[in-house]
Amino acid sequence: MATTGSVRSRGRLLWCRYFAGIDHVGRKFSENAVGRWFRSASSSAHKVDARKDAHSNLLSKQETTNLYKIQFHNVKPECLEAYNNLEAEVQKRLHHDEDYPCEVVGSWNTWYGEQDQAVHLWRYRGGYPALTECLDKLKVNKEYLESRRERAKMLHARRNQLLLEFSFWNEPLPRPGPNIYEMRSYSLKPGTMIEWGNHWARAIKYRQESDEAVGGFFSQVGDLYVVHHLWAYESLQSRDETRNSAWRKEGWDANVYYTVPLIRSMESRIMIPTASSPLQ
């Protein structure tokens, strides 16, 4: 009969062999994955121009001074139509007034995601000075102040963020419709934004064939280490087909493999553009 000591010795030996096997498999998998990544990064298919490939310009577009503001307004359900009409009038006045260095990029109502929510994306050509100039002028704009008081009666809550655009993404430009839009928002682990940008600088080419990439942004003020990717699709079905096609392209899986560990949480909104939105 085996003694307690001999059973424990055999148990320890089995566990050592088990973990040694796991370590061997893990090293082999890691070496293969790293090898694929370096082959992918050095492939001529991944070459980009000097501006995009420069480390100092990896995240934001240095040749522009665009600053973006994104607004999330949670609207009382019974007020959504009146809210959209009010916002359309305000945006029209500001968008076409040359005295205000700002323009609305897009406005949407959330279809799937947080319900009865309006999302607005603004661009300030001139960065923080342009934003400050707009705010100073709006403080004394009686029509705007009155519209804010009226809007406040229609809202449950609101929040905003100031954003910069990634250097390797498209600049969001007006487009005809009809389209649905998906905003995929990622909350990253602090300190991982450069790594995220490195991977997506190579991966974005896998998502350009159907012209679905609208814009990519990262937060500067508000919730930090937040990334927003904005996509346009003809329908939910075309969204599904476009996303599935990316998995058939060699290299897309590596991007997902290396970026998923950087994420703390993520959210997807399917949005419908309002009638006044430049992005239709």
Side-chain angles (χ1 to χ4, degrees):
M1 180 179 294
T3 65
T4 301
S6 64
V7 169
R8 289 176 177 172
S9 297
R10 284 198 299 272
R12 285 194 295 270
L13 179 60
L14 289 173
W15 275 110
C16 288
R17 289 176 178 174
Y18 174 73
F19 283 113
I22 287 180
D23 183 59
H24 173 72
V25 172
R27 285 199 306 270
K28 184 175 180 181
F29 176 79
S30 178
E31 290 167 0
N32 289 341
V34 172
R36 286 199 306 272
W37 185 87
F38 278 110
R39 286 195 299 273
S40 175
S42 62
S43 170
S44 60
H46 291 283
K47 288 183 178 178
V48 294
D49 62 44
R51 176 186 63 79
K52 294 180 181 177
D53 209 26
H55 175 73
S56 60
N57 301 330
L58 181 62
L59 290 182
S60 63
K61 293 185 177 180
Q62 299 299 312
E63 78 281 11
T64 69
T65 55
N66 291 340
L67 178 70
Y68 292 83
K69 178 175 72 175
I70 190 166
Q71 299 173 304
F72 300 95
H73 290 172
N74 292 349
V75 185
K76 297 176 182 178
E78 67 274 15
C79 298
L80 188 58
E81 183 177 355
Y83 168 89
N84 286 336
N85 292 335
L86 179 64
E87 280 296 307
E89 185 60 33
V90 172
Q91 291 173 6
K92 180 180 178 180
R93 289 200 299 267
L94 294 181
H95 186 85
H96 296 290
D97 192 334
E98 295 182 358
D99 286 339
Y100 291 87
C102 65
E103 55 190 345
V104 60
V105 176
S107 287
W108 303 269
N109 292 146
T110 300
W111 187 19
Y112 288 102
E114 193 164 354
Q115 295 292 285
D116 303 310
Q117 185 179 71
V119 180
H120 309 292
L121 183 63
W122 292 84
R123 176 166 46 221
Y124 298 86
R125 295 193 183 274
Y128 290 106
L131 172 66
T132 302
E133 180 183 347
C134 283
L135 293 178
D136 289 341
K137 289 180 176 179
L138 290 174
K139 289 177 183 177
V140 295
N141 186 322
K142 293 181 179 180
E143 290 185 356
Y144 175 75
L145 294 175
E146 178 58 33
S147 69
R148 278 179 59 94
R149 284 190 288 268
E150 188 65 25
R151 187 187 68 184
K153 303 173 186 177
M154 306 177 184
L155 300 181
H156 286 301
R158 59 192 178 97
R159 62 186 176 91
N160 58 24
Q161 296 172 339
L162 295 180
L163 314 170
L164 294 178
E165 55 187 332
F166 284 110
S167 62
F168 44 85
W169 270 78
N170 312 329
E171 180 175 339
L173 299 173
R175 64 170 66 198
N179 295 294
I180 63 170
Y181 290 80
E182 179 178 21
M183 179 174 290
R184 296 178 72 86
S185 300
Y186 305 87
S187 178
L188 304 184
K189 298 175 182 176
T192 61
M193 189 66 75
I194 291 290
E195 188 175 356
W196 178 275
N198 281 332
H199 291 300
W200 268 96
R202 288 182 288 270
I204 189 61
K205 71 173 188 177
Y206 300 113
R207 300 296 309 276
Q208 296 278 18
E209 291 182 2
S210 300
D211 194 32
E212 71 268 27
V214 177
F217 313 90
F218 58 99
S219 62
Q220 289 291 283
V221 177
D223 293 335
L224 297 179
Y225 285 97
V226 174
V227 170
H228 300 292
H229 290 175
L230 185 61
W231 310 92
Y233 304 101
E234 293 181 357
S235 64
L236 288 174
Q237 180 62 36
S238 68
R239 170 188 176 272
D240 187 57
E241 293 169 355
T242 301
R243 288 177 55 80
N244 285 337
S245 69
W247 287 97
R248 296 192 287 270
K249 299 170 185 174
E250 184 177 358
W252 175 252
D253 58 338
N255 175 64
V256 175
Y257 177 84
Y258 285 104
T259 55
V260 164
L262 310 179
I263 301 171
R264 291 193 301 175
S265 63
M266 57 188 294
E267 179 181 9
S268 170
R269 290 177 177 85
I270 301 296
M271 308 183 301
I272 304 297
T274 62
S276 61
S277 176
L279 287 169
Q280 285 294 312

